[in-house]
Amino acid sequence: MPVYGDEVVVLRAQPLGEADRILTLFGRERGKVRAVARGVRRTSSKFGARLEPFGVVDVQLFTRDPDERSKLETVTQAVTVHSFANGLVADYDAYAAASAMVETVDRIIDAEPAPLQWALLVGALRELSRGERDPRSALDAYLLRALSLAGWEPSFAECARCGEPGPHERLSFGAGGAVCPGCAAALGATRRVDVDTLRHLWALLAGNRRVADAAPAEVRERASGVVAGYLDHHLERGLRSMPVVRELRGAAGPGAVDGAEGGRADTVTP
Ligand SMILES: [Zn+2]
C-alpha cells in the first residue's frame, strides 16, 4: 500500500460527514492533491488543528492506487512546519490577501510538481503572517509573479505586442501588458495607464521592494486595479475572495478605460 510523504500548504478544508475534512493540498513535490483527513473535526483529534488553511505541514498520504491521482488520498500523519494562520487571523486585511493567494494558486496549479509556485506561495504567506508589508502590495506582487510562473508574464516596459521600448501608456490584457501607440491602434480597445503606475507594476513584478513600497497610495490603488483586471482576464471565472479583496483595496475601481475594453471585455487577441 503506497504511502507518500510531502511538505504541503493547505489551500482548502471542507467539512465531510460528521468529523472528517476534505483537504486541497499543494505539495512541494507532487503539486495539487485532494485528501481526506479522518476524525479531524473531533476535539480529540491529534492533528486537526494542523490541517487548517495556510498551514505548511509535513504529511504522510496514503493512496490505494498511485496511478489514479484523481482519487482522494488519506492523510495518515501531519506535523506542522509553519503555522502562518496565527499571524493571519489577527489581521483582517492580511487574512483576505492570504485567502486570495491560496484561491489563485488552487486555480492555476494541477497535479504536477510546481516547486517555484510552491516557494512563491510559502514566501508570500510568511511575509503576510509577519506583518512585514502592506497586505495589498504583498498580494499584488504575489499575483503578478504567480501569473508569470503560470506562463502569463505581463510586460510593463517594452510593448507586449511588438517589443518597442517603452514606457507605453496603453494597456491590453489580451496582448499581455503595455502596448505602443501603433499596436494600441491596431488592437482597438486598450486602457489608459500612467507611467507611475507602470513603474510600480514593474517593481512589484521584479520584486523591487524599495521602489514598490515607496509608491504613493493612489499609485498602488491604480496598480491594484490593473492586477485585478489581469487576474480576471486569465482565470476562467472570478475569485470568490475578490469582493473581500476589493474592499481591502478601497473604493477605487480598475481605472480609466477607453474603447470597449473593461476587465474581461478585453478579448482582442494580437
Ligand atoms: Zn507595439
PDB file of all heavy atoms in Angstrom, residues 161-180:
ATOM      1  N   ARG A 161       3.304  43.585 -27.559  1.00  0.00           N
ATOM      2  CA  ARG A 161       2.936  43.006 -28.848  1.00  0.00           C
ATOM      3  C   ARG A 161       4.111  43.022 -29.833  1.00  0.00           C
ATOM      4  O   ARG A 161       4.375  42.028 -30.498  1.00  0.00           O
ATOM      5  CB  ARG A 161       1.741  43.767 -29.419  1.00  0.00           C
ATOM      6  CG  ARG A 161       1.114  43.147 -30.662  1.00  0.00           C
ATOM      7  CD  ARG A 161      -0.269  43.745 -30.855  1.00  0.00           C
ATOM      8  NE  ARG A 161      -0.902  43.305 -32.082  1.00  0.00           N
ATOM      9  CZ  ARG A 161      -0.876  44.005 -33.219  1.00  0.00           C
ATOM     10  NH1 ARG A 161      -0.211  45.139 -33.287  1.00  0.00           N
ATOM     11  NH2 ARG A 161      -1.511  43.542 -34.284  1.00  0.00           N
ATOM     12  N   CYS A 162       4.838  44.171 -29.916  1.00  0.00           N
ATOM     13  CA  CYS A 162       5.900  44.267 -30.929  1.00  0.00           C
ATOM     14  C   CYS A 162       7.290  44.471 -30.325  1.00  0.00           C
ATOM     15  O   CYS A 162       8.287  44.441 -31.047  1.00  0.00           O
ATOM     16  CB  CYS A 162       5.592  45.389 -31.917  1.00  0.00           C
ATOM     17  SG  CYS A 162       5.887  47.041 -31.237  1.00  0.00           S
ATOM     18  N   GLY A 163       7.361  44.677 -29.000  1.00  0.00           N
ATOM     19  CA  GLY A 163       8.667  44.778 -28.351  1.00  0.00           C
ATOM     20  C   GLY A 163       9.288  46.158 -28.352  1.00  0.00           C
ATOM     21  O   GLY A 163      10.399  46.338 -27.848  1.00  0.00           O
ATOM     22  N   GLU A 164       8.603  47.169 -28.904  1.00  0.00           N
ATOM     23  CA  GLU A 164       9.181  48.512 -28.932  1.00  0.00           C
ATOM     24  C   GLU A 164       9.404  49.027 -27.503  1.00  0.00           C
ATOM     25  O   GLU A 164       8.513  48.935 -26.660  1.00  0.00           O
ATOM     26  CB  GLU A 164       8.235  49.469 -29.673  1.00  0.00           C
ATOM     27  CG  GLU A 164       8.869  50.849 -29.861  1.00  0.00           C
ATOM     28  CD  GLU A 164       7.975  51.791 -30.649  1.00  0.00           C
ATOM     29  OE1 GLU A 164       7.525  51.382 -31.743  1.00  0.00           O
ATOM     30  OE2 GLU A 164       7.720  52.914 -30.174  1.00  0.00           O
ATOM     31  N   PRO A 165      10.623  49.589 -27.230  1.00  0.00           N
ATOM     32  CA  PRO A 165      10.912  50.067 -25.872  1.00  0.00           C
ATOM     33  C   PRO A 165       9.902  51.130 -25.417  1.00  0.00           C
ATOM     34  O   PRO A 165       9.487  51.963 -26.225  1.00  0.00           O
ATOM     35  CB  PRO A 165      12.316  50.660 -25.997  1.00  0.00           C
ATOM     36  CG  PRO A 165      12.918  50.010 -27.203  1.00  0.00           C
ATOM     37  CD  PRO A 165      11.776  49.752 -28.132  1.00  0.00           C
ATOM     38  N   GLY A 166       9.542  51.081 -24.132  1.00  0.00           N
ATOM     39  CA  GLY A 166       8.543  51.984 -23.574  1.00  0.00           C
ATOM     40  C   GLY A 166       9.176  53.124 -22.824  1.00  0.00           C
ATOM     41  O   GLY A 166      10.334  53.437 -23.074  1.00  0.00           O
ATOM     42  N   PRO A 167       8.470  53.767 -21.885  1.00  0.00           N
ATOM     43  CA  PRO A 167       7.148  53.337 -21.411  1.00  0.00           C
ATOM     44  C   PRO A 167       6.004  53.664 -22.388  1.00  0.00           C
ATOM     45  O   PRO A 167       6.091  54.642 -23.122  1.00  0.00           O
ATOM     46  CB  PRO A 167       6.982  54.145 -20.117  1.00  0.00           C
ATOM     47  CG  PRO A 167       7.829  55.366 -20.303  1.00  0.00           C
ATOM     48  CD  PRO A 167       8.978  54.939 -21.161  1.00  0.00           C
ATOM     49  N   HIS A 168       4.994  52.814 -22.369  1.00  0.00           N
ATOM     50  CA  HIS A 168       3.811  52.995 -23.211  1.00  0.00           C
ATOM     51  C   HIS A 168       2.591  53.152 -22.314  1.00  0.00           C
ATOM     52  O   HIS A 168       2.396  52.336 -21.422  1.00  0.00           O
ATOM     53  CB  HIS A 168       3.608  51.779 -24.120  1.00  0.00           C
ATOM     54  CG  HIS A 168       4.779  51.505 -25.005  1.00  0.00           C
ATOM     55  ND1 HIS A 168       5.218  52.394 -25.952  1.00  0.00           N
ATOM     56  CD2 HIS A 168       5.607  50.432 -25.065  1.00  0.00           C
ATOM     57  CE1 HIS A 168       6.267  51.890 -26.587  1.00  0.00           C
ATOM     58  NE2 HIS A 168       6.532  50.704 -26.063  1.00  0.00           N
ATOM     59  N   GLU A 169       1.786  54.155 -22.574  1.00  0.00           N
ATOM     60  CA  GLU A 169       0.694  54.456 -21.648  1.00  0.00           C
ATOM     61  C   GLU A 169      -0.650  53.847 -22.050  1.00  0.00           C
ATOM     62  O   GLU A 169      -1.700  54.423 -21.807  1.00  0.00           O
ATOM     63  CB  GLU A 169       0.595  55.975 -21.462  1.00  0.00           C
ATOM     64  CG  GLU A 169       1.866  56.528 -20.806  1.00  0.00           C
ATOM     65  CD  GLU A 169       1.777  58.008 -20.507  1.00  0.00           C
ATOM     66  OE1 GLU A 169       1.016  58.387 -19.603  1.00  0.00           O
ATOM     67  OE2 GLU A 169       2.455  58.785 -21.191  1.00  0.00           O
ATOM     68  N   ARG A 170      -0.573  52.706 -22.720  1.00  0.00           N
ATOM     69  CA  ARG A 170      -1.804  51.968 -23.025  1.00  0.00           C
ATOM     70  C   ARG A 170      -1.586  50.529 -22.571  1.00  0.00           C
ATOM     71  O   ARG A 170      -0.490  49.998 -22.680  1.00  0.00           O
ATOM     72  CB  ARG A 170      -2.110  51.951 -24.541  1.00  0.00           C
ATOM     73  CG  ARG A 170      -1.992  53.277 -25.246  1.00  0.00           C
ATOM     74  CD  ARG A 170      -3.018  54.283 -24.838  1.00  0.00           C
ATOM     75  NE  ARG A 170      -4.383  53.790 -24.944  1.00  0.00           N
ATOM     76  CZ  ARG A 170      -5.452  54.561 -24.704  1.00  0.00           C
ATOM     77  NH1 ARG A 170      -5.293  55.827 -24.380  1.00  0.00           N
ATOM     78  NH2 ARG A 170      -6.653  54.071 -24.791  1.00  0.00           N
ATOM     79  N   LEU A 171      -2.657  49.891 -22.097  1.00  0.00           N
ATOM     80  CA  LEU A 171      -2.565  48.514 -21.621  1.00  0.00           C
ATOM     81  C   LEU A 171      -3.568  47.651 -22.361  1.00  0.00           C
ATOM     82  O   LEU A 171      -4.701  48.079 -22.610  1.00  0.00           O
ATOM     83  CB  LEU A 171      -2.966  48.442 -20.149  1.00  0.00           C
ATOM     84  CG  LEU A 171      -1.936  48.550 -19.031  1.00  0.00           C
ATOM     85  CD1 LEU A 171      -2.669  48.323 -17.712  1.00  0.00           C
ATOM     86  CD2 LEU A 171      -0.816  47.536 -19.178  1.00  0.00           C
ATOM     87  N   SER A 172      -3.135  46.433 -22.677  1.00  0.00           N
ATOM     88  CA  SER A 172      -4.067  45.442 -23.217  1.00  0.00           C
ATOM     89  C   SER A 172      -3.818  44.120 -22.511  1.00  0.00           C
ATOM     90  O   SER A 172      -2.732  43.554 -22.615  1.00  0.00           O
ATOM     91  CB  SER A 172      -3.851  45.268 -24.721  1.00  0.00           C
ATOM     92  OG  SER A 172      -4.507  44.087 -25.155  1.00  0.00           O
ATOM     93  N   PHE A 173      -4.788  43.636 -21.766  1.00  0.00           N
ATOM     94  CA  PHE A 173      -4.621  42.362 -21.068  1.00  0.00           C
ATOM     95  C   PHE A 173      -4.455  41.232 -22.079  1.00  0.00           C
ATOM     96  O   PHE A 173      -3.687  40.308 -21.873  1.00  0.00           O
ATOM     97  CB  PHE A 173      -5.802  42.080 -20.143  1.00  0.00           C
ATOM     98  CG  PHE A 173      -5.917  43.052 -19.009  1.00  0.00           C
ATOM     99  CD1 PHE A 173      -7.159  43.497 -18.593  1.00  0.00           C
ATOM    100  CD2 PHE A 173      -4.788  43.534 -18.362  1.00  0.00           C
ATOM    101  CE1 PHE A 173      -7.272  44.392 -17.542  1.00  0.00           C
ATOM    102  CE2 PHE A 173      -4.886  44.427 -17.315  1.00  0.00           C
ATOM    103  CZ  PHE A 173      -6.139  44.860 -16.906  1.00  0.00           C
ATOM    104  N   GLY A 174      -5.198  41.329 -23.182  1.00  0.00           N
ATOM    105  CA  GLY A 174      -5.120  40.279 -24.209  1.00  0.00           C
ATOM    106  C   GLY A 174      -3.739  40.205 -24.826  1.00  0.00           C
ATOM    107  O   GLY A 174      -3.221  39.128 -25.096  1.00  0.00           O
ATOM    108  N   ALA A 175      -3.114  41.373 -25.044  1.00  0.00           N
ATOM    109  CA  ALA A 175      -1.783  41.395 -25.650  1.00  0.00           C
ATOM    110  C   ALA A 175      -0.705  41.056 -24.615  1.00  0.00           C
ATOM    111  O   ALA A 175       0.401  40.689 -24.983  1.00  0.00           O
ATOM    112  CB  ALA A 175      -1.517  42.757 -26.275  1.00  0.00           C
ATOM    113  N   GLY A 176      -1.019  41.205 -23.317  1.00  0.00           N
ATOM    114  CA  GLY A 176      -0.060  40.829 -22.280  1.00  0.00           C
ATOM    115  C   GLY A 176       0.646  41.992 -21.620  1.00  0.00           C
ATOM    116  O   GLY A 176       1.746  41.833 -21.105  1.00  0.00           O
ATOM    117  N   GLY A 177       0.046  43.176 -21.606  1.00  0.00           N
ATOM    118  CA  GLY A 177       0.653  44.285 -20.866  1.00  0.00           C
ATOM    119  C   GLY A 177       0.567  45.599 -21.607  1.00  0.00           C
ATOM    120  O   GLY A 177      -0.390  45.858 -22.341  1.00  0.00           O
ATOM    121  N   ALA A 178       1.616  46.426 -21.432  1.00  0.00           N
ATOM    122  CA  ALA A 178       1.634  47.747 -22.067  1.00  0.00           C
ATOM    123  C   ALA A 178       1.874  47.589 -23.560  1.00  0.00           C
ATOM    124  O   ALA A 178       2.614  46.702 -23.988  1.00  0.00           O
ATOM    125  CB  ALA A 178       2.732  48.595 -21.437  1.00  0.00           C
ATOM    126  N   VAL A 179       1.218  48.452 -24.344  1.00  0.00           N
ATOM    127  CA  VAL A 179       1.388  48.388 -25.804  1.00  0.00           C
ATOM    128  C   VAL A 179       1.692  49.782 -26.359  1.00  0.00           C
ATOM    129  O   VAL A 179       1.236  50.794 -25.812  1.00  0.00           O
ATOM    130  CB  VAL A 179       0.144  47.788 -26.522  1.00  0.00           C
ATOM    131  CG1 VAL A 179       0.043  46.289 -26.255  1.00  0.00           C
ATOM    132  CG2 VAL A 179      -1.151  48.490 -26.116  1.00  0.00           C
ATOM    133  N   CYS A 180       2.481  49.810 -27.440  1.00  0.00           N
ATOM    134  CA  CYS A 180       2.882  51.078 -28.069  1.00  0.00           C
ATOM    135  C   CYS A 180       1.679  51.694 -28.793  1.00  0.00           C
ATOM    136  O   CYS A 180       0.671  51.009 -29.021  1.00  0.00           O
ATOM    137  CB  CYS A 180       4.036  50.813 -29.037  1.00  0.00           C
ATOM    138  SG  CYS A 180       3.540  49.911 -30.510  1.00  0.00           S
TER     139      CYS A 180
END
